[in-house]
Amino acid sequence: MGNLPNPIPPAVVEAVEEIVRVYKSLPPRPSVEEVEAAMAVIESSTSEEELRIEEVDRMEKSSDVPEELFFVLQEVKKSLVRLQSHEQRREALHVAELDKRFQVFDELIQRTFKLVSRDESDAGDEEEGKGTGFAVVVPKIDKVLVKTDKDEKMGELDAPKGLVNVSSVSPWKSEIPSSGGDADKLSLIQVASLIEAKAKEGTEVLHLRGKLMDQIEWLPLSLGKLKGITDLDLSENQIMALPSTIGSLRFLTKLDIHSNQLINLPDSFGELSSLVDLDLHANQLKSLPALFGNLTSLANLDLSSNQLSVLPETFGNLTKLRRLNVETNELEELPYTIGSCTSLVELRLDFNRLKALPEATGKLECLEVLTLHYNRVKGLPTTMASLCRLKELDASFNELESIPESLCFVTSLVKLDVGGNFADLRTLPRCIGNLEMLKKLDISNNQIRILPESFRFLSKLRVFHADETPLEVPPRQVVKLGAQAVVKYVADLVASKDPSFHLTERKGFWFWLCTVCSPRSKKHNEDRDFTIA
């Protein structure tokens, strides 16, 4: 007669049940993606802290500040950087520490599982007469409790409260839902988790416009993992710096970072050679990296509302650039190489400190829109006669003293605004009538008193503004009647003063232009100009 299986002591059963109960009572553990995100945040935070402390070390002491006081100032700034970095890392450190604790529990529960499995095996052997073991079967430990890396990667574990998980933020969608409140914005570790998920998915579009908490001033280095992304929107946040790894996004064609706090761009930014659309407006950029000229695929670039005082000479490499907006900066000049940007269709330079445009502007033969109001420009380059496609020119509120006659060869002009040059601008070009496509002309707030005879050829002019300009010919009451009334008045006045007027009309404007511009008739033309009765 065989021996009966040894009964399992009640204390053993109770111990196993207690182990299972404790394991089940643990809080949700971080997923693999969240742990990776936490490590990325810690690494990035450390790197960012070092860079910012280096910036503090490079501070220059004012001669009026005592050495010891300056040292205290530096230490205060460094302490602030360390505190901010600690705050940024706090949640990530919590996740990393939590994961370590769970790893200990994993090892313990696996040991328990092995012990129970061995005992159950021994019990089975005893039933077959092959060994000895417990006579009573102990409660099995559910294998679901023993989490494997595969389980975690499949997302079977819940994330810790407040962290990214599929049900709350759903990083597998390209748009992050938000009701607009701060509670809906992402923390740094949530952003890092999202990046990890997107990188594994191989996503092409990620939009985080206004989705980041205000405390987030930089992005984790793991941003460089988004190798396949083509469209990235980080606009309307408080980002002060981009990670150097952004240069790894080689397939990125559209990048929107407007309305942040960027002070500079990393040198690696020049490696984004696929960029077509780049929006950097409303930041605090003071300069661009020298390698910016490597962005040779750029077609649309918005640098407006920054603090740029100069554009790099390498700008001339942007030969595919079609639209450039650098308004509301501190530019005093444009690089001569701007003339190599021969694909430019639109160039906006408003609200800067420009004193002149380079002669190379005349090489921009595709240019259709040129605006430079509110600058300090005294004269337009004569090479503008080559801008054969220019439709709109706004040179208002500058210090223009004259408008070159060569501009009148730009017969494609539809809108011309030279208003607001006040005491400086006293005349219009004599050949302004050559602008046969002109529909809108603004000469307000200037010192122009007499319109040229050729004004009568502006047959398509529909809008004419001369507010606060002391026009005498034609008189104010005629100007109030509209653009074509002014054109007719000038035509009638010329007819009444010049018997050859009808002959000129029959032969056309070019006959008149050749006549008034010939050296032999120059003095006669000056004498024939309108006189004030």
Side-chain angles (χ1 to χ4, degrees):
M1 185 174 180
N3 295 329
L4 292 174
N6 296 328
I8 298 178
V12 173
V13 175
E14 183 178 347
V16 172
E17 290 178 341
E18 179 67 15
I19 290 172
V20 172
R21 187 164 52 251
V22 169
Y23 200 85
K24 286 184 175 180
S25 70
L26 295 176
R29 72 177 296 167
S31 67
V32 171
E33 289 81 7
E34 289 161 351
V35 174
E36 290 176 349
M39 299 310 295
V41 167
I42 293 170
E43 180 184 1
S44 301
S45 174
T46 303
S47 175
E48 183 68 19
E49 179 181 334
E50 291 174 354
L51 289 174
R52 295 175 67 181
I53 287 179
E54 286 177 6
E55 289 180 2
V56 174
D57 285 333
R58 288 195 297 267
M59 288 176 57
E60 295 184 2
K61 185 181 76 69
S62 172
S63 57
D64 297 331
V65 178
E67 188 73 33
E68 187 174 351
L69 181 60
F70 179 70
F71 173 77
V72 172
L73 174 61
Q74 284 184 309
E75 289 303 308
V76 167
K77 287 182 175 291
K78 289 179 182 179
S79 298
L80 177 60
V81 168
R82 294 186 183 102
L83 176 60
Q84 291 173 336
S85 296
H86 173 74
E87 290 298 303
Q88 295 279 13
R89 284 195 296 261
R90 183 168 55 182
E91 190 175 3
L93 289 170
H94 171 72
V95 173
E97 181 64 24
L98 196 61
D99 182 64
K100 288 181 181 179
R101 301 296 180 187
F102 267 100
Q103 289 176 16
V104 174
F105 278 107
D106 284 347
E107 293 173 2
L108 294 173
I109 200 69
Q110 286 171 4
R111 287 176 61 187
T112 304
F113 178 73
K114 290 177 181 178
L115 288 170
V116 172
S117 297
R118 185 184 65 192
D119 290 343
E120 288 178 344
S121 176
D122 290 345
D125 291 343
E126 179 60 28
E127 290 176 0
E128 297 176 7
K130 295 180 180 179
T132 60
F134 294 122
V136 180
V137 178
V138 299
K140 290 186 177 181
I141 297 176
D142 191 346
K143 291 185 179 182
V144 173
L145 290 175
V146 185
K147 308 298 183 182
T148 65
D149 289 343
K150 181 178 180 181
D151 294 332
E152 294 178 6
K153 291 179 181 178
M154 293 296 291
E156 294 180 5
L157 294 177
D158 294 327
K161 295 179 181 179
L163 299 182
V164 178
N165 56 49
V166 176
S167 61
S168 61
V169 176
S170 186
W172 288 270
K173 294 181 180 179
S174 61
E175 293 287 353
I176 310 300
S178 174
S179 60
D182 289 341
D184 298 311
K185 293 190 174 184
L186 304 179
S187 67
L188 185 59
I189 194 168
Q190 286 176 320
V191 174
S193 296
L194 186 62
I195 290 172
E196 295 292 339
K198 290 290 186 181
K200 291 179 180 179
E201 178 191 350
T203 189
E204 295 182 357
V205 178
L206 178 58
H207 288 177
L208 293 172
R209 174 175 294 190
K211 302 297 183 183
L212 310 187
M213 288 184 176
D214 291 346
Q215 294 84 352
I216 298 180
E217 297 179 349
W218 46 268
L219 296 172
L221 293 170
S222 56
L223 183 71
K225 292 183 178 182
L226 300 173
K227 304 289 186 180
I229 199 165
T230 60
D231 183 347
L232 178 59
D233 188 345
L234 301 170
S235 61
E236 299 179 10
N237 290 297
Q238 299 295 320
I239 301 170
M240 293 183 67
L242 296 174
S244 59
T245 54
I246 195 171
S248 301
L249 311 185
R250 301 298 173 83
F251 295 100
L252 194 62
T253 60
K254 184 176 182 179
L255 177 58
D256 189 346
I257 328 178
H258 81 262
S259 301
N260 275 280
Q261 303 292 321
L262 292 177
I263 299 174
N264 52 45
L265 300 175
D267 289 338
S268 60
F269 200 86
E271 298 173 15
L272 302 176
S273 55
S274 297
L275 266 184
V276 176
D277 300 291
L278 176 58
D279 190 346
L280 288 163
H281 86 264
N283 277 281
Q284 298 179 22
L285 294 172
K286 296 183 178 180
S287 63
L288 298 176
L291 297 179
F292 197 86
N294 289 355
L295 307 181
T296 52
S297 297
L298 271 184
N300 303 297
L301 174 59
D302 192 342
L303 293 168
S304 61
S305 300
N306 278 283
Q307 300 174 23
L308 297 171
S309 58
V310 66
L311 297 179
E313 293 294 325
T314 54
F315 235 74
N317 297 340
L318 309 182
T319 55
K320 295 182 180 179
L321 194 61
R322 291 177 56 82
R323 291 173 180 82
L324 173 59
N325 187 345
V326 288
E327 63 184 31
T328 317
N329 276 280
E330 299 177 7
L331 297 175
E332 295 187 1
E333 62 179 4
L334 294 180
Y336 185 84
T337 53
I338 194 73
S340 297
C341 301
T342 52
S343 297
L344 269 178
V345 173
E346 184 176 317
L347 177 57
R348 298 191 179 275
L349 306 167
D350 314 314
F351 298 100
N352 276 282
R353 301 178 180 178
L354 296 172
K355 297 178 181 179
L357 296 180
E359 291 292 315
T361 305
K363 297 180 180 180
L364 307 178
E365 296 184 359
C366 292
L367 200 62
E368 295 181 5
V369 177
L370 174 59
T371 65
L372 55 142
H373 70 263
Y374 281 98
N375 277 280
R376 301 172 183 174
V377 176
K378 293 183 179 295
L380 300 174
T382 57
T383 55
M384 290 187 67
S386 301
L387 305 182
C388 55
R389 299 185 185 180
L390 193 63
K391 295 179 180 178
E392 179 179 344
L393 173 60
D394 186 348
S396 60
F397 293 94
N398 276 276
E399 299 174 7
L400 287 180
E401 298 174 348
S402 64
I403 300 172
E405 290 288 339
S406 59
L407 182 65
C408 299
F409 288 95
V410 186
T411 56
S412 56
L413 263 183
V414 175
K415 297 180 180 180
L416 175 60
D417 189 346
V418 291
N421 284 280
F422 302 101
D424 301 298
L425 188 59
R426 298 180 178 274
T427 60
L428 290 177
R430 291 175 57 81
C431 301
I432 195 170
N434 194 29
L435 304 178
E436 54 191 25
M437 302 299 294
L438 199 63
K439 293 182 178 180
K440 182 177 180 180
L441 175 61
D442 193 335
I443 63 168
S444 303
N445 293 291
N446 289 302
Q447 293 300 313
I448 299 170
R449 295 179 180 273
I450 301 173
L451 297 181
E453 290 182 2
S454 67
F455 202 92
R456 68 185 187 273
F457 294 108
L458 301 179
S459 59
K460 294 187 179 181
L461 193 66
R462 294 293 178 266
V463 179
F464 178 60
H465 294 303
D467 304 332
E468 305 302 322
T469 294
L471 273 179
E472 297 174 0
V473 179
R476 179 61 53 187
Q477 58 268 28
V478 173
V479 175
K480 290 180 180 179
L481 296 176
Q484 280 305 299
V486 173
V487 171
K488 186 177 184 303
Y489 179 89
V490 176
D492 292 344
L493 192 57
V494 171
S496 67
K497 289 180 175 291
D498 190 347
S500 65
F501 169 73
H502 296 293
L503 177 62
T504 304
E505 287 294 293
R506 285 197 301 271
K507 292 190 175 183
F509 173 74
W510 289 105
F511 175 82
W512 177 86
L513 180 62
C514 292
T515 302
V516 298
C517 293
S518 65
R520 187 170 57 181
S521 61
K522 183 176 180 182
K523 186 177 187 302
H524 170 68
N525 291 331
E526 292 174 352
D527 295 339
R528 193 184 62 182
D529 255 348
F530 300 138
T531 55
I532 309 303

